[in-house]
Amino acid sequence: MASTTSSLDVLILTFNCGRNLVRPELLARHLSAAFPDPSPSPDIIVLSLQELAPLAYSFLGGSYLLPHLDRFRHAISLAGHKAFGEEEAPRYTDVVTRNVGMTACMVFVQEEHKGKIQWVETGGVGVGLQEMGNKGAVGVRLGYTVPEGGRIMELTFVAAHLAPMEGAVARRNQDWKNIVRGLVFAPVHSQQEVHNNTAAAITTTTAESEPLLLVNDTSNHTPSGIYTPTSHLILAGDLNYRTSSTTPRPSSHLAFPQPTPSPTDPHHYSHLLRSDQLTREREAGRTCHGLREAPITFPPTYKYSGKAQALAGGKKTEGAVVVGAGGWGWAKHRWPSWCDRVLFLDVPGRMVEMEVQKYTALPLMPTSDHQAVVLRLKVPLMATPAATDESDDDEEDVRTRPPFAVDPRWRERRAAARRKEVVVGCLAYLFCTWEGNGILLTLLVVRGVLGGWTLIVR
């Protein structure tokens, strides 16, 4: 049931996984509500995942991440079956999965449209400690064939995770600047690179004789950042902007939002939304330059208490969040905030704008203190017109005048951070996982046995 109009139906989900394995059946149940019958199924599904797995597994990558990623693949398949039934369920192919540390981006395309993906580019940057990927961003850029004339439409998806805590507004703005400067796209050529591009330095390439995606002559493979004159841009992630610059006082939780139908009620979430840091910083031109957001019509997505998580997925769910005897189950030591967001860039006056179909939060899941957020867009199926320096309108076009220049040392800085991630990942694996503890214990036992044998033979 793919869309048949002159637009591309794109669903973007952002979810902070809390370093836990997701429950595929529960996620599928919630996600299926985002594309109910009789509306067509999305042509493309993009997952922006933060805190995908424990630090050790995330930094080591590869097979350590497969159990976490496979659950999302399973959830996408289940969601289609729940929404449309066994016979009508769409079949999706994971065309590219890429992570930088604990942040990942997965792109699924309906099988009947897979051949329209002409090329793929990926990029990533860490903005955490020592530029490692405990916080950071990963991007995927697709070249999608437009039926009329065989031209290419470019789509850029960026999954991001910025600095936490209420007072770290300047740090988050700096993280955004570092993402614009350091997330640079490079082409993906082979099947192995497309499907196994996890936790690898973006300087690494693997040649294969049978590439899955051929390089298209119309694609510009000169390294470029997230802003480019010919691409749509969609940013999704735990951007971590809060509703206060200070932590809550002991009595602050009494004023936290609670379920109420009246916007005039002081407990209605709309009052807290007025203090949203992201809206303020974006409108002031200090972050997410040029991007816009659909109206927020759902309660804050963070931070839910352990009790609320324990209730999640049970019978006491209503709407988007857990409702119990005490209302919404907020953690008292954090201001409820819209940390999880999806923004996008279109250029009014230059093209038909992207049309928002849905922007909502999914019900809370027991494995995370965040709610997942979904944006569903209809993207006009036409090649994005390139901006020109000759037009007066271009003065405000961030596609041609990005807020920050690409760092010329982006490649070597990412490679250096990747080496640190491997070291930290190995240490975390040995000291913070059961498997690693087992290895250390075995080494100690072996050392003890060898030491004892040495004493005996003497």
Side-chain angles (χ1 to χ4, degrees):
M1 295 184 63
S3 59
T4 57
T5 61
S6 58
S7 61
L8 196 65
D9 194 332
V10 182
L11 185 148
I12 306 100
L13 176 144
T14 179
F15 182 47
N16 185 312
C17 308
R19 310 187 186 194
N20 294 315
L21 290 164
V22 73
R23 289 168 50 180
E25 297 81 5
L26 188 58
L27 176 59
R29 188 176 80 199
H30 297 333
L31 184 58
S32 64
F35 43 98
D37 195 26
S39 67
S41 55
D43 300 311
I44 297 176
I45 297 177
V46 180
L47 304 184
S48 167
L49 307 172
Q50 310 86 46
E51 298 195 3
L52 172 64
L55 185 140
Y57 302 150
S58 297
F59 276 13
L60 293 176
S63 61
Y64 291 102
L65 285 180
L66 285 180
H68 295 263
L69 296 171
D70 284 345
R71 290 191 173 217
F72 284 98
R73 296 183 178 106
H74 186 39
I76 294 298
S77 176
L78 286 177
H81 285 80
K82 290 180 181 292
F84 302 104
E86 201 73 30
E87 295 184 0
E88 297 292 330
R91 299 183 63 184
Y92 289 97
T93 298
D94 178 9
V95 295
V96 60
T97 291
R98 170 74 196 268
N99 83 294
V100 168
M102 303 176 77
T103 303
C105 185
M106 306 180 75
V107 179
F108 298 83
V109 177
Q110 283 204 38
E111 285 196 353
E112 61 185 277
H113 298 309
K114 185 174 67 174
K116 298 176 184 177
I117 305 295
Q118 293 301 307
W119 48 263
V120 174
E121 297 177 351
T122 66
V125 62
V127 297
L129 180 66
Q130 295 290 306
E131 299 184 346
M132 290 187 288
N134 55 306
K135 296 291 186 292
V138 57
V140 172
R141 179 169 290 153
L142 306 176
Y144 190 93
T145 303
V146 176
E148 294 79 9
R151 299 176 65 192
I152 300 296
M153 177 176 72
E154 296 182 20
L155 296 162
T156 300
F157 303 102
V158 176
H161 192 188
L162 308 187
M165 307 304 289
E166 280 86 350
V169 180
R171 177 68 253 179
R172 285 186 277 278
N173 292 347
Q174 183 64 41
D175 285 349
W176 170 251
K177 178 179 180 179
N178 292 339
I179 288 170
V180 175
R181 297 202 68 209
L183 199 163
V184 180
F185 289 88
V188 175
H189 298 280
S190 70
Q191 183 173 9
Q192 182 172 347
E193 285 181 89
V194 170
H195 292 290
N196 298 322
N197 199 357
T198 59
I202 56 180
T203 54
T204 302
T205 57
T206 304
E208 287 192 1
S209 58
E210 297 294 333
L212 174 67
L213 301 171
L214 300 177
V215 176
N216 191 292
D217 292 337
T218 62
S219 170
N220 178 13
H221 289 295
T222 300
S224 60
I226 65 175
Y227 290 106
T228 180
T230 56
S231 180
H232 300 284
L233 172 60
I234 299 171
L235 168 70
D238 179 3
L239 304 185
N240 251 326
Y241 286 93
R242 309 299 175 89
T243 54
S244 175
S245 296
T246 59
T247 55
R249 296 188 298 271
S251 61
S252 294
H253 69 278
L254 298 175
F256 286 0
Q258 292 299 339
T260 174
S262 173
T264 61
D265 189 313
H267 284 96
H268 194 273
Y269 66 81
S270 59
H271 298 284
L272 190 61
L273 184 57
R274 297 169 188 166
S275 302
D276 176 55
Q277 294 174 347
L278 177 56
T279 301
R280 182 191 72 206
E281 297 299 300
R282 183 172 57 84
E283 291 179 349
R286 292 189 286 264
T287 191
C288 299
H289 303 77
L291 296 166
R292 71 182 180 96
E293 184 177 21
I296 293 176
T297 58
F298 48 87
T301 60
Y302 173 88
K303 172 180 173 76
Y304 288 93
S305 66
K307 181 179 179 181
Q309 294 177 60
L311 290 171
K315 296 180 179 180
K316 295 183 179 181
T317 56
E318 178 181 316
V321 292
V322 170
V323 178
W328 292 335
W330 305 114
K332 296 180 181 180
H333 65 290
R334 292 283 177 259
W335 279 98
S337 299
W338 287 265
C339 292
D340 310 277
R341 312 286 274 270
V342 186
L343 298 91
F344 55 96
L345 171 63
D346 55 20
V347 188
R350 302 189 58 83
M351 55 180 292
V352 180
E353 294 185 16
M354 290 184 272
E355 180 184 350
V356 175
Q357 301 294 300
K358 183 187 288 287
Y359 189 39
T360 190
L362 300 186
L364 185 68
M365 287 182 279
T367 54
S368 176
D369 52 9
H370 289 252
Q371 289 175 263
V373 170
V374 165
L375 174 69
R376 189 163 178 177
L377 285 172
K378 282 193 176 296
V379 182
L381 202 52
M382 59 179 70
T384 312
T388 62
D389 293 331
E390 300 172 358
S391 172
D392 294 335
D393 295 336
D394 291 341
E395 293 296 332
E396 302 298 326
D397 191 345
V398 293
R399 299 184 305 156
T400 55
R401 290 176 171 79
F404 312 107
V406 169
D407 184 352
R409 297 179 57 243
W410 65 270
R411 191 185 298 270
E412 59 185 276
R413 294 180 71 163
R414 179 62 207 141
R418 178 65 194 133
R419 290 191 289 270
K420 297 174 187 175
E421 288 172 359
V422 172
V423 173
V424 172
C426 289
L427 293 174
Y429 182 82
L430 289 173
F431 292 100
C432 301
T433 69
W434 289 108
E435 306 98 304
N437 291 166
I439 293 174
L440 289 176
L441 180 60
T442 300
L443 292 175
L444 289 173
V445 171
V446 170
R447 180 179 178 181
V449 170
L450 292 177
W453 176 255
T454 302
L455 290 175
I456 293 173
V457 298
R458 285 181 180 178

